Amino acid sequence: MDELDTALLRILQNDARRTNRDMAAELGIAPSTCLERIRGLRERGVISGYHAAVDLHAIDRSTQAIISIKLRPQAMAVATAFQDYVQSLPQTLEMFMVSGASDFLAHVAVKDTQALRDLVLQLAKRQEIGDIRSSVVFEHHRRTTVMPLPPPR
Amino acid sequence: MDELDTALLRILQNDARRTNRDMAAELGIAPSTCLERIRGLRERGVISGYHAAVDLHAIDRSTQAIISIKLRPQAMAVATAFQDYVQSLPQTLEMFMVSGASDFLAHVAVKDTQALRDLVLQLAKRQEIGDIRSSVVFEHHRRTTVMPLPPPR
DNA sequence: TGGCCAACCGAACGAAATTCGGCCGCTCAG
DNA sequence: CTGAGCGGCCGAATTTCGTTCGGTTGGCCA
């Protein structure tokens, strides 16, 4: 995990389709070396995959929300089943199981607020839910480049 | 945005490095046709980019949290500046500006709970903050495949 | 019914990925 | 101090792939 590896991480997180030759040239190393390094990053699990990013507006899913869910204490035993259910919903982008006031946060994307209403009503049917509240997402920004953190001084 | 486009979306979200020939073979079309379709998806903005996914454990950032922040009403005017600040922190993975009890949710990843403590204390120094509370993320699952939603029946 | 247009195909060409043998420099043991 | 071993890097050769482009087809509208 040296300087070269982090540079490759940075490049590939920005554009996973950069050619090997191109990256090698930018970093001043041989293409074969570059390939070897990237293979190492994959084998060590540092790079877990390569994914195309889809624009939610382009597929008519411009409305996003965070749905906070608290289970009934007696239903916490079935938390995993509940989690699987929410994750299986096509509207769900990501799901957090968290400490604090809520047990789960579901980040969802739907067509419009009407569809959001329908989704919340559908979720609220689940018996294991003790409390549910939704927040509309006005803005969402995801960092494309995730890097190792330097040790704090 | 027909059947072929969605199939390509599915494939490329799962593995952005699949070869063009490979995808064409799987879908039973010519490589040139496949290339043309993918170019169309990019030009229409449906595919916004290709990104390598980095494993947070592998880079020693196994501790995640959601930090909920409410600004002081008088400070809402500087919400954008505050947002830019939080997003600029290397610990921040994504940031939501939301309706409801909080104004912002920051999804962060750090080395351990000690580093999380430091981060919260650092954030709490900001004068525009009226309330801040953090939740540890026990589990996080992101969907790799985002698809257009069928119209509800 | 005839013409037009968009989309698909397949071959050809240039470029890239991948392999592999050899070389260099570092490390560690003698 | 020195020599052997080893990990990592390089560069050429081979194979595979991306990309272009001219031709063709099928559907749609006048």
Side-chain angles (χ1 to χ4, degrees), chain B residues 7-24:
Chain B
L8 284 171
L9 272 194
R10 196 182 317 276
I11 292 174
L12 284 172
Q13 284 183 94
N14 263 68
D15 182 4
R17 300 213 81 158
R18 282 285 289 279
T19 69
N20 189 53
R21 296 178 114 86
D22 203 14
M23 292 185 285

Side-chain angles (χ1 to χ4, degrees), chain A residues 87 89 142-143 147, chain B residues 51 61 87 89 142-143:
Chain A
Q87 281 172 200
L89 296 175
R142 167 176 284 109
R143 176 184 300 259
M147 285 284 128
Chain B
H51 309 283
R61 293 178 60 176
Q87 282 172 199
L89 296 175
R142 167 176 284 109
R143 176 181 300 254

